[in-house]
Amino acid sequence: MADRPVSVVEKRLMDVKLGELGTWLGARDFTPNGIISAIRRGQERYYNKYINVKKGGIGGVAMLLVGYMALSYVWEYDHIKHDRWRKYH
């Protein structure tokens, strides 16, 4: 049997084709409550996939730490770049 057709609104971002992207974005909830609930859903999915597992390892926590280190480097890049070109006489 063939799968039932799924509307563009119900698809995940990875399943949306480039021509359907405008319609998909138009159906998203960009209110503050909608954005907060989307962040919460993403956090819950990450927690359930990498942290709350029966046979877990260090992968999920390591990914979080590497992300934090990369983000802090990006935030401090201008300061680091400025120090690199400074001459100490």
Side-chain angles (χ1 to χ4, degrees), residues 42-51 60-61 63-64:
Q43 179 185 12
E44 185 177 326
R45 286 182 62 203
Y46 176 85
Y47 181 79
N48 287 332
K49 186 172 183 178
Y50 294 109
I51 307 296
V61 177
M63 190 185 314
L64 215 72

Side-chain angles (χ1 to χ4, degrees), residues 11-85:
K11 289 183 180 180
R12 291 182 153 183
L13 178 59
M14 296 301 291
D15 299 332
V16 175
K17 294 185 175 144
L18 194 56
E20 302 170 334
L21 189 60
T23 308
W24 185 83
L25 280 173
R28 299 296 103 196
D29 185 12
F30 288 111
T31 62
N33 284 338
I35 293 171
I36 290 171
S37 66
I39 291 171
R40 242 182 234 145
R41 281 193 312 270
Q43 179 185 12
E44 185 177 326
R45 286 182 62 203
Y46 176 85
Y47 181 79
N48 287 332
K49 186 172 183 178
Y50 294 109
I51 307 296
N52 191 20
V53 292
K54 290 182 181 177
K55 200 173 181 183
I58 190 130
V61 177
M63 190 185 314
L64 215 72
L65 290 174
V66 169
Y68 173 73
M69 288 176 8
L71 191 60
S72 64
Y73 180 79
V74 168
W75 283 338
E76 294 294 326
Y77 181 72
D78 289 333
H79 180 68
I80 293 169
K81 185 172 75 172
H82 187 270
D83 282 346
R84 186 176 54 204
W85 293 106

